[in-house]
Amino acid sequence: MFLPQNDTSVTEKQEAEKARREGYSKIEQWTIEEIPGEIRGGVTISVQEIACGDPNCSPIDTAVAIMFPSGGRGMLGIPMESKDVTKESLLEVFPTEDVLRAWSRGEEAEWPPLDDDDDEDFERPRLRFEAGQRVACRVGPDPVTGWATGSVIMLWYREPTWPANSWAPYKIELDDGRNIFAPGDVDQIIRAIDN
């Protein structure tokens, strides 16, 4: 059986929700202000709080997604609740103008910059394919029809959110325009196209 909420807990929840919404609003405004005027038109900003289960991060992070009409987009995270975000803390993690312009053109741009200094001493194994090479990639469960063709566009690809020293051997642009990565360099995942 649930006990009824008392007026104090209802008021506290309402005040917390109001502070969160006000935080979202100010972050959206600051984000818009920091995007160069000539690429600002039609930009959508989405702000939300995300609970972080990692003991090395704050319990609540604020995520800011920047989406351009071209389809380009990026995200940044601030390790605090939205009500605590200041313009200065937003600017500390804000993308550079070059990154924003790349996103506005629909291009991928790495943000935040990867910090894999420890990875420099690690020698990766030699891969079977090179950038520009045509391949077939497994994209579905059917072993016969679950393949799509494309071109390798990057070796040793990684997402900014992946743990340090985590890499996929290949990033591939499929013929239908989608970008995917191959998590392993084996024929069951990626293979040469028979010509």
Side-chain angles (χ1 to χ4, degrees):
M1 181 171 198
F2 295 101
L3 298 174
Q5 294 183 346
N6 63 36
D7 290 340
T8 304
S9 66
V10 170
T11 302
E12 288 173 357
K13 286 182 181 178
Q14 289 172 337
E15 288 174 3
E17 182 58 29
K18 180 180 177 191
R20 183 175 18 263
R21 280 185 276 127
E22 288 173 354
Y24 288 179
S25 181
K26 70 181 178 182
I27 294 165
E28 287 174 8
Q29 182 61 40
W30 292 333
T31 301
I32 289 290
E33 289 171 2
E34 291 304 314
I35 296 172
E38 63 273 13
I39 61 172
R40 193 179 296 160
V43 171
T44 302
I45 308 298
S46 174
V47 180
Q48 62 183 349
E49 290 181 345
I50 300 171
C52 183
D54 183 343
N56 295 323
C57 72
S58 67
I60 302 289
D61 287 350
T62 300
V64 181
I66 304 171
M67 297 159 283
F68 289 89
S70 65
R73 71 182 109 197
M75 184 172 275
L76 53 119
I78 310 162
M80 61 188 70
E81 294 181 44
S82 62
K83 67 180 178 60
D84 298 325
V85 174
T86 63
K87 189 168 187 179
E88 291 74 29
S89 60
L90 173 67
L91 294 178
E92 286 176 14
V93 298
F94 206 77
T96 63
E97 185 173 328
D98 289 341
V99 168
L100 291 168
R101 290 187 183 280
W103 290 346
S104 76
R105 294 186 300 266
E107 300 170 3
E108 290 188 31
E110 184 180 290
W111 193 262
L114 299 177
D115 186 20
D116 285 333
D117 294 337
D118 297 339
D119 189 55
E120 292 176 12
D121 297 332
F122 177 72
E123 189 170 325
R124 296 184 188 100
R126 182 171 165 80
L127 299 175
R128 296 179 299 150
F129 306 111
E130 296 181 14
Q133 194 165 353
R134 300 277 301 151
V135 293
C137 299
R138 185 75 176 264
V139 294
D142 188 284
V144 176
T145 62
W147 293 84
T149 57
S151 298
V152 174
I153 59 173
M154 183 185 292
L155 304 181
W156 296 114
Y157 173 74
R158 69 165 286 160
E159 292 279 333
T161 57
W162 291 356
N165 300 318
S166 295
W167 300 86
Y170 304 103
K171 181 176 182 181
I172 302 98
E173 182 173 345
L174 298 177
D175 293 342
D176 65 10
R178 290 181 294 165
N179 286 335
I180 64 169
F181 66 87
D185 189 15
V186 293
D187 278 340
Q188 293 86 348
I189 297 172
I190 184 170
R191 62 186 181 201
I193 294 177
D194 296 328
N195 291 331

